[in-house]
Amino acid sequence: MKQSLNNIRPLFVSLSVLLFLSLTGCWSTREIEEQSLSIGLAFDKGKKSFIEKELNEKKEGYYSKKDLITSTYQFITPEVASSITKKAGPQQKSYINVSETGDSVHQMIRELSLKIENPIISNHMKVIVISEDLAKSYNLGQLLDQVLRDNEIRPSCLVLISKGRASKTLETKTAGEIPAFRLVGIVENAYRTARILPTISQIKVESKIHSGSSFLLQKVLSVNGQVKFSGAAVINGKTHKMTGFLNEEELEGVTWITGKGKGGVVKSYDKETGQQIVYEIVSMKSRIKPRVKGNNLSFDVNIESEGRLSETWVVPGDPFKNEFLKKAEKSSEKEVKRLVKNVVEKMQKEYQVDVAGFGNQLRIENPKVWKKVKKDWDQTFSETPVNYNVKLTIENYGTSGSTKK
């Protein structure tokens, strides 16, 4: 037995050596600070850079193209990349933006190799911003075709529409701040407001495009290096182009219809005094119920929410009394109903698109009817009656109030 073990031992040693050789790591990789780490991308209508104008005037070193689109890539600086942090020091430039103009997204990114020293990698791309001018002019499926095919860019990459030039959203005047990360960070505030759409990634955009459904993309406004999420762009399911927009209040109405809000407030006014009452959303749920009677179709939107009375300017007003709480609930319900009715009217009358999921609910609950109407669903929806039922319940009103009976 001992002799047998002695014979096996050299075999184990040989196997161990072979295993160690297979664990030598990625010998063909390059250090992260030797890469151009792309984290943001903006698409605008074509605008030549100073270098391109200079080359064009001298007619040298220029490649054949049409100046249709300007792509702006945001890269983390090598110092930030090597530290693997989201913010650099106060005196340190955290990012660089490089632009190229052309008519092929892939060709433009290859042209960037003539401007920057390190190879470009896009595995950590966080956000793609498209200007509204471009979104109105081009089919999003064509515009995003290259990034959807690129196996380097993750399908979870966020897609936004900008008011004005998209490249401006990738700029900031705050030292150490990285604009692409800032945009992604704002999305995380959805639990604080009903005016931020659930994350729309590029894979979701691709799915909507293939399904032929109309949908919304979050809109972002940039002024002097500061940004704000402001409403949503309406993307038509047939043309795949931006056909209009919803303002912040209208987007809030869509959130109530879908029931996908995680937080926010409803500001209403007391009927008797005209003073403010503020209801804070703790939870919300909504159900869109299709009603089919013969050839007639309608929808019921049933909305329920629990929340708290977070602020009241009503004098006199006693939150400790059920009578006052019921009045506050009715006032808030009236405001939610107004938000919902207004946005449905805009969808049906002005844009004639369904971007709130009415058609999807019909498909789920009555597939036979859906099969008949899906081809021209947006038009059918624009002529379909919608009824609303809103129930808000104040579960908490804090400790401020009168204790007098």
Side-chain angles (χ1 to χ4, degrees), residues 85-143:
T85 180
K86 289 187 179 181
K87 287 192 175 182
Q91 304 301 322
Q92 184 179 322
K93 181 71 171 177
S94 307
Y95 68 94
I96 56 172
N97 291 342
V98 184
S99 298
E100 180 69 23
T101 300
D103 51 13
S104 163
V105 175
H106 202 181
Q107 187 178 40
M108 283 187 279
I109 195 170
R110 289 292 186 256
E111 287 297 311
L112 293 183
S113 300
L114 304 175
K115 297 181 178 180
I116 55 179
E117 59 180 310
N118 294 322
I120 299 170
I121 59 171
S122 300
N123 305 86
H124 298 281
M125 181 76 74
K126 299 296 182 184
V127 62
I128 297 172
V129 187
I130 304 168
S131 73
E132 65 174 4
D133 287 344
L134 205 63
K136 289 176 180 177
S137 303
Y138 292 93
N139 179 315
L140 288 187
Q142 295 174 316
L143 188 61

Side-chain angles (χ1 to χ4, degrees), residues 67-349:
D67 298 320
L68 302 180
I69 302 166
T70 294
S71 300
T72 301
Y73 284 82
Q74 182 161 100
F75 302 102
I76 295 180
T77 58
E79 293 81 9
V80 174
S82 62
S83 64
I84 316 297
T85 180
K86 289 187 179 181
K87 287 192 175 182
Q91 304 301 322
Q92 184 179 322
K93 181 71 171 177
S94 307
Y95 68 94
I96 56 172
N97 291 342
V98 184
S99 298
E100 180 69 23
T101 300
D103 51 13
S104 163
V105 175
H106 202 181
Q107 187 178 40
M108 283 187 279
I109 195 170
R110 289 292 186 256
E111 287 297 311
L112 293 183
S113 300
L114 304 175
K115 297 181 178 180
I116 55 179
E117 59 180 310
N118 294 322
I120 299 170
I121 59 171
S122 300
N123 305 86
H124 298 281
M125 181 76 74
K126 299 296 182 184
V127 62
I128 297 172
V129 187
I130 304 168
S131 73
E132 65 174 4
D133 287 344
L134 205 63
K136 289 176 180 177
S137 303
Y138 292 93
N139 179 315
L140 288 187
Q142 295 174 316
L143 188 61
L144 295 174
D145 182 76
Q146 192 276 329
V147 296
L148 290 170
R149 293 175 185 275
D150 191 340
N151 58 10
E152 270 195 4
I153 300 178
R154 295 177 181 177
S156 59
C157 181
L158 180 66
V159 181
L160 302 172
I161 300 290
S162 72
K163 173 72 175 177
R165 290 195 71 80
S167 59
K168 295 295 182 181
T169 67
L170 297 182
E171 297 176 1
T172 181
K173 293 183 178 180
T174 304
E177 186 174 55
I178 300 176
F181 288 134
R182 174 180 60 181
L183 292 173
V184 175
I186 294 175
V187 175
E188 301 300 322
N189 290 331
Y191 74 102
R192 307 290 287 178
T193 175
R195 298 183 177 188
I196 295 179
L197 280 174
T199 303
I200 303 294
S201 62
Q202 66 166 7
I203 193 65
K204 289 182 180 179
V205 171
E206 182 179 26
S207 175
K208 292 289 186 181
I209 289 172
H210 286 317
S211 71
S213 302
S214 298
F215 61 100
L216 298 175
L217 284 175
Q218 184 72 56
K219 205 167 179 186
V220 58
L221 173 66
S222 176
V223 179
N224 295 326
Q226 297 184 350
V227 296
K228 181 189 178 185
F229 279 16
S230 183
V234 178
I235 309 300
N236 187 286
K238 289 186 176 180
T239 65
H240 304 147
K241 296 179 181 179
M242 177 178 167
T243 190
F245 70 94
L246 302 181
N247 62 31
E248 293 179 45
E249 197 174 77
E250 291 159 349
L251 177 54
E252 190 175 355
V254 171
T255 301
W256 280 105
I257 294 171
T258 61
K260 294 182 179 179
K262 298 178 181 179
V265 297
V266 177
K267 184 176 70 174
S268 61
Y269 295 90
D270 178 56
K271 185 177 180 180
E272 296 176 7
T273 66
Q275 296 298 322
Q276 291 182 113
I277 296 174
V278 180
Y279 171 89
E280 183 179 9
I281 303 163
V282 174
S283 67
M284 74 163 65
K285 59 181 179 180
S286 176
R287 186 185 178 194
I288 298 173
K289 180 67 179 176
R291 302 285 185 187
V292 180
K293 291 184 179 180
N295 293 324
N296 297 320
L297 172 65
S298 65
F299 288 97
D300 291 340
V301 179
N302 300 307
I303 295 170
E304 294 182 14
S305 173
E306 292 183 356
R308 61 174 62 94
L309 180 66
S310 63
E311 184 180 5
T312 174
W313 289 58
V314 178
V315 179
D318 187 355
F320 287 172
K321 292 184 177 180
N322 285 337
E323 182 183 350
F324 179 81
L325 293 178
K326 292 298 179 184
K327 185 166 66 170
E329 287 174 349
K330 293 300 180 184
S331 176
S332 300
E333 288 171 358
K334 183 179 179 182
E335 174 62 11
V336 171
K337 188 174 288 188
R338 184 189 70 83
L339 292 170
V340 171
K341 289 180 69 175
N342 282 354
V343 73
V344 169
E345 184 175 348
K346 189 164 188 176
M347 285 190 287
Q348 291 185 318
K349 305 306 178 187

Side-chain angles (χ1 to χ4, degrees), residues 37-48:
L37 195 61
S38 175
I39 55 168
L41 171 59
F43 288 124
D44 288 295
K45 276 200 169 181
K47 185 178 180 180
K48 293 180 183 177

Side-chain angles (χ1 to χ4, degrees), residues 25-86:
C26 302
W27 53 66
S28 62
T29 60
R30 300 182 62 176
E31 296 296 330
I32 193 168
E33 59 266 27
E34 295 177 358
Q35 308 282 337
S36 289
L37 195 61
S38 175
I39 55 168
L41 171 59
F43 288 124
D44 288 295
K45 276 200 169 181
K47 185 178 180 180
K48 293 180 183 177
S49 67
F50 174 78
I51 292 177
E52 289 171 323
K53 289 179 181 178
E54 194 72 13
L55 288 172
N56 193 41
E57 288 176 4
K58 295 182 178 180
K59 300 190 181 302
E60 53 185 43
Y62 216 55
Y63 65 97
S64 175
K65 66 182 177 67
K66 297 177 181 178
D67 298 320
L68 302 180
I69 302 166
T70 294
S71 300
T72 301
Y73 284 82
Q74 182 161 100
F75 302 102
I76 295 180
T77 58
E79 293 81 9
V80 174
S82 62
S83 64
I84 316 297
T85 180
K86 289 187 179 181

